[in-house]
């Protein structure tokens, strides 16, 4: 063997390079971003409460009849320990949560002061809608966008009702909480999440009787995006059982609304007034927001980027249809006018879809 052969490196040795020692950079300590954004939401709630409370002082007497008088009487009765009564007479009314929330204000003997306190309570409760709006948004978008959704929730047209003694103030945050738990149950099914969703939906119905549409929405969403359906057996069994119980008891379970089955509902009029109600929503949300929201819902259904996007898009799309249809039924059978009060709850979802 020649010297040249001994000195020659082995085959492939020239391809191997010894890596130079490198220094691993030290990563910066993680920042407490969630706490900072949660603090931002708290600031939004406080500022919104202050602003809307000042706005509510612009009227000093009831203006929405007969709702304000009805809830005032119920709240006063609860404060006095009389239960569900109006003018000392038993009154069958299913949605008692708003009156219970207003009851502490009526512990004051002076009626004008009690009315002002009740408006302040309603304002604070309605501004709390920013919290479930932020919680739902954090599952879909970055924290800064979630805070913007929370801000839009308490800065839009629905806040018109904050200073009136109606059910909207309590219903607004409860609706968003119900949507959030339904999306969570559809995103990651489990018996515990199903039970929580059914409980919150039941609480929503006790807050506003018109929220009977929410359990229907959840059942439809389960069959659309909650597959395999067997994973939601707990929720479906409970909701079907509740529906059967309602059929057995009849419309008497609706109490104050028990006469709904006696109204004459026209399909053409339902479509007409439901369409008018739907047409009002873009003006309330903002005409620039709606096109982006439609695109966002489309991508959420077709090409979701996370497990929560498709359930959120399905729930929102169903509510955009079901709430105006419900408003159209009421308008067809009784009122003969559009009911934005039945449908404005979807606006924070539209902002989030945008």
């Amino acid at each position: 063997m020649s010297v040249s052969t001994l000195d020659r490196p082995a085959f492939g040795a020239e391809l191997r390079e010894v890596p130079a020692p490198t220094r691993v950079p030290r990563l910066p300590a993680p920042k407490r971003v969630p706490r900072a954004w949660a603090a931002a939401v708290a600031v939004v709630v406080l500022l919104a409460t202050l602003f809307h409370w000042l706005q509510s002082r612009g009227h000093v007497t009831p203006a929405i009849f007969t709702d304000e008088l009805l809830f005032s009487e119920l709240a006063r009765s609860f404060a006095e320990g009389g239960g569900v009564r109006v003018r000392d007479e038993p009154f069958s009314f299913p949605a008692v949560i708003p009156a219970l929330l207003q009851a502490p204000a009526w512990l004051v003997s002076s009626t004008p002061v009690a009315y002002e306190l009740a408006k302040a309570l309603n304002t604070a409760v309605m501004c709390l809608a920013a919290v479930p709006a932020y919680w739902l948004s954090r599952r879909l978008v970055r924290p800064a966008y979630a805070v913007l959704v929370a801000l839009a929730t308490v800065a839009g047209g629905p806040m018109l009702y904050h200073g009136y003694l109606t059910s909207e103030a309590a219903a607004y945050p409860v609706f968003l909480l119900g949507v959030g738990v339904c999306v969570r149950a559809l995103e990651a099914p489990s018996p515990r999440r199903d039970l929580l969703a059914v409980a919150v939906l039941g609480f929503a119905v006790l807050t506003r009787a018109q929220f009977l549409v929410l359990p229907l929405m959840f059942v439809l969403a389960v069959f659309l995006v909650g597959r395999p359906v067997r994973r939601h057996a707990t929720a479906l069994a409970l909701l079907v059982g509740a529906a059967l119980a309602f059929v057995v008891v009849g419309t008497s379970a609706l109490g104050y609304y028990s006469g709904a089955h006696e109204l004459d509902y026209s399909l053409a009029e339902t479509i007409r007034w439901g369409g008018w109600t739907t047409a009002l929503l873009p003006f309330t949300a903002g005409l620039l927001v709606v096109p982006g929201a439609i695109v966002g819902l489309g991508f959420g259904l077709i090409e979701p980027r996370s497990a929560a996007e498709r359930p959120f898009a399905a729930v929102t799309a169903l509510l955009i249809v079901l709430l105006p249809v419900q408003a159209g039924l009421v308008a067809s059978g009784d009122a003969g006018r559009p009911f934005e009060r039945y449908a404005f709850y979807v606006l924070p979802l539209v902002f989030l879809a945008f």
Side-chain angles (χ1 to χ4, degrees), residues 14-350:
E14 66 273 19
L15 301 179
R16 296 194 299 267
E17 296 181 359
V18 179
T22 57
R23 183 179 180 183
V24 178
R26 178 178 294 180
L27 296 176
K31 298 179 180 179
R32 296 181 177 180
V33 177
R35 290 189 179 183
W37 292 116
V41 175
V43 171
V44 167
V45 172
L46 290 175
L47 292 179
T49 301
L50 177 61
F51 174 79
H52 291 299
W53 171 71
L54 292 173
Q55 294 293 315
S56 72
R57 295 178 61 82
H59 69 275
V60 295
T61 58
I64 300 179
F65 299 101
T66 57
D67 290 32
E68 286 199 87
L69 297 180
L70 173 61
F71 282 102
S72 297
E73 286 294 324
L74 288 173
R76 186 182 289 110
S77 177
F78 282 127
E80 295 172 353
V84 187
R85 305 176 71 88
V86 172
R87 295 181 179 178
D88 296 328
E89 295 293 331
F91 189 77
S92 180
F93 191 75
V96 296
I97 301 299
L100 283 171
L101 292 175
Q102 296 172 19
W106 295 99
L107 295 173
V108 179
S109 59
S110 172
T111 299
V113 175
Y115 184 70
E116 290 297 324
L117 288 176
K119 288 194 300 179
L121 278 175
N122 266 18
T123 301
V125 169
M126 195 166 190
C127 289
L128 286 176
V131 176
Y134 173 78
W135 173 67
L136 173 61
S137 302
R138 282 290 288 117
R139 310 201 63 80
L140 296 155
V141 297
R142 65 186 65 178
Y145 291 166
V147 173
L148 287 177
V149 173
L151 179 61
T153 299
V154 294
M159 295 305 297
L160 171 69
Y161 293 96
H162 69 275
Y164 298 96
L165 305 190
T166 61
S167 63
E168 278 78 9
Y172 197 35
V174 170
F175 174 88
L176 293 174
L177 178 62
V179 170
V181 296
C182 287
V183 170
R184 181 61 176 151
L186 293 167
E187 172 194 358
S190 73
R192 181 177 61 84
R193 293 192 182 98
D194 273 3
L195 286 172
L196 179 61
V198 172
V200 175
L201 292 178
F203 187 80
V205 174
L206 292 176
T207 303
R208 186 164 172 79
Q210 290 79 6
F211 283 170
L212 279 170
V213 73
L214 290 180
L216 174 60
M217 172 275 297
F218 186 55
V219 172
L220 293 176
V222 165
F223 285 98
L224 287 175
V225 299
R227 299 177 182 178
V229 175
R230 66 177 182 275
R231 300 188 67 182
H232 295 282
T234 301
L236 292 177
L238 291 172
L239 293 176
V240 170
L244 292 175
F246 178 77
V247 171
V248 171
V249 174
T251 55
S252 60
L254 296 176
Y256 179 73
Y257 302 102
S258 59
H261 71 286
E262 300 175 357
L263 301 177
D264 183 20
Y265 302 100
S266 165
L267 177 60
E269 288 297 296
T270 299
I271 295 174
R272 175 192 175 192
W273 292 117
W276 274 111
T277 300
T278 305
L280 291 173
L281 295 179
F283 295 95
T284 309
L287 295 179
L288 294 178
V289 173
V290 174
I294 293 173
V295 173
L297 291 177
F299 274 103
L301 289 171
I302 299 171
E303 296 183 5
R305 297 172 299 177
S306 67
E309 278 198 10
R310 182 170 285 149
F312 164 74
V315 165
T316 302
L318 286 170
L319 289 172
I320 288 175
V321 175
L322 292 175
L323 289 176
V325 167
Q326 184 186 50
L329 282 170
V330 175
S332 169
D334 184 28
R337 59 185 175 86
F339 273 96
E340 83 288 346
R341 293 175 63 185
Y342 282 54
F344 70 68
Y345 302 96
V346 301
L347 293 180
L349 309 182
V350 173

